[in-house]
Amino acid sequence: MRVIDTHAHIHDASFGDAEAAVARAQAAGVGIIVTLGVNRADSAAAMSLAERHACVLAAAGVHPHDARDATDTDLDALEAMAARERVALVGEIGLDYYRNQSPRDAQLRVLRRQLETAGRIAKPVAVHAREAHGDMLPELERWSRELGGALPDGRPLGVMHYFSGDAELARRYVDLGFLISIHTSVTHPKAEMLREVARRTPLERLVIETDSPYGAPQRYRGKRNEPSYVVEAAAAIAEARGISVEAVAGATTANAIRLVGLPES
């Protein structure tokens, strides 16, 4: 059984042992890990890890927490970086009105510029939206209309990372051309809304993630999360839907492969 972790941050220096984590993930059946940058320097580090490991892909972008410090020069450099072969996504981009570590106008400015980047280079986006769907939904509605609901090659426009809304909101993003990512926190006892999203969203629109090192699954609660644990999300989806974990692994892997533009083999 093979799975794909569509969202991690194992390249970050605070993770500590990225090389060993990659090896553990491969041993656990994780075929691909996507590690995402949060600013210019961090995205370069993600790309460096991807260039050292065939099973790692990078994403380049500015997280909403870092939006206040992102210059036009940074955004130009990130666009050039995102166009490179080992960079699969533009991300992590988005809006975060929970922590508000950057002013909302700065978050919106940087989000819009990075959506423009993704449209120009024809790569999907990894979207962070925390307590910000009121602004995020119209931004993505407008972008989806501009692109006709899909990338030029027919791939999804992107993925809603660590999805935090309800099943109806998930449906609206799916209708715009996005996949919904089910995080390993779906295993937590209080995550019933996310389990309902996992039940009701079409399986062909779901992917799984760890967001390592954050949000370890229930079995490892209190420990650092890592890509080898991503199968816990697949198992929770399988239980919620009443199907086999192998069926979930197969579907989410196929969805992720399509998202990042890899050959199906």
Side-chain angles (χ1 to χ4, degrees):
M1 184 173 71
R2 306 294 282 178
V3 289
I4 292 178
D5 184 356
T6 61
H7 198 112
H9 299 279
I10 60 170
H11 63 280
D12 188 275
S14 66
F15 196 86
D17 62 342
E19 308 293 334
V22 169
R24 287 191 295 271
Q26 288 187 291
V30 182
I32 295 290
I33 304 163
V34 184
T35 192
L36 293 94
V38 298
N39 56 43
R40 181 177 176 179
D42 191 58
S43 295
M47 189 169 61
S48 177
L49 184 66
E51 288 172 343
R52 297 198 302 274
H53 294 278
C55 67
V56 177
L57 294 172
V62 176
H63 190 284
H65 291 345
D66 294 78
R68 67 188 309 153
D69 299 318
T71 66
D72 288 340
T73 299
D74 291 330
L75 294 167
D76 289 343
L78 281 161
E79 181 163 335
M81 198 182 303
R84 295 181 63 168
E85 182 179 2
R86 298 295 299 167
V87 180
L89 304 167
V90 175
E92 180 175 352
I93 70 174
L95 301 172
D96 191 310
Y97 295 172
Y98 176 71
R99 297 198 182 277
N100 281 308
Q101 292 188 15
S102 289
R104 294 186 181 186
D105 59 345
Q107 292 187 45
L108 284 162
R109 174 184 66 85
V110 171
L111 169 66
R112 290 165 181 161
R113 168 61 197 275
Q114 292 183 105
L115 291 174
E116 291 172 4
T117 286
R120 278 192 289 269
I121 67 173
K123 287 188 178 179
V125 292
V127 179
H128 173 115
R130 190 170 187 188
E131 296 193 7
H133 294 289
D135 281 349
M136 181 61 74
L137 193 61
E139 293 293 332
L140 295 186
E141 284 175 337
R142 179 168 56 250
W143 190 60
S144 177
R145 285 195 302 271
E146 291 173 0
L147 273 69
L151 293 178
D153 60 4
R155 285 189 291 152
L157 290 176
V159 55
M160 302 306 297
H161 141 70
Y162 210 141
F163 188 70
S164 59
D166 61 18
E168 176 57 25
L169 184 60
R171 182 195 64 77
R172 295 181 72 180
Y173 284 119
V174 165
D175 288 347
L176 294 179
F178 288 84
L179 302 182
I180 303 299
S181 185
I182 303 297
H183 180 260
T184 44
S185 63
V186 68
T187 59
H188 296 176
K190 294 183 179 180
E192 186 52 43
M193 186 168 71
L194 184 55
R195 286 189 286 274
E196 182 68 8
V197 171
R199 271 192 291 272
R200 292 178 52 188
T201 303
L203 191 55
E204 64 271 18
R205 305 303 291 185
L206 294 178
V207 292
I208 54 178
E209 65 163 285
T210 63
D211 198 24
S212 303
Y214 313 109
Q218 186 65 24
R219 186 183 303 188
Y220 303 99
R221 199 82 180 261
K223 298 181 180 180
R224 184 191 70 179
N225 206 358
E226 62 174 78
S228 60
Y229 301 160
V230 73
V231 71
E232 300 285 328
I237 295 169
E239 182 177 0
R241 299 179 76 99
I243 60 178
S244 71
V245 66
E246 290 81 7
V248 173
T252 57
T253 296
N255 299 340
I257 286 172
R258 185 171 74 254
L259 175 72
V260 300
L262 289 175
E264 290 188 12
S265 60

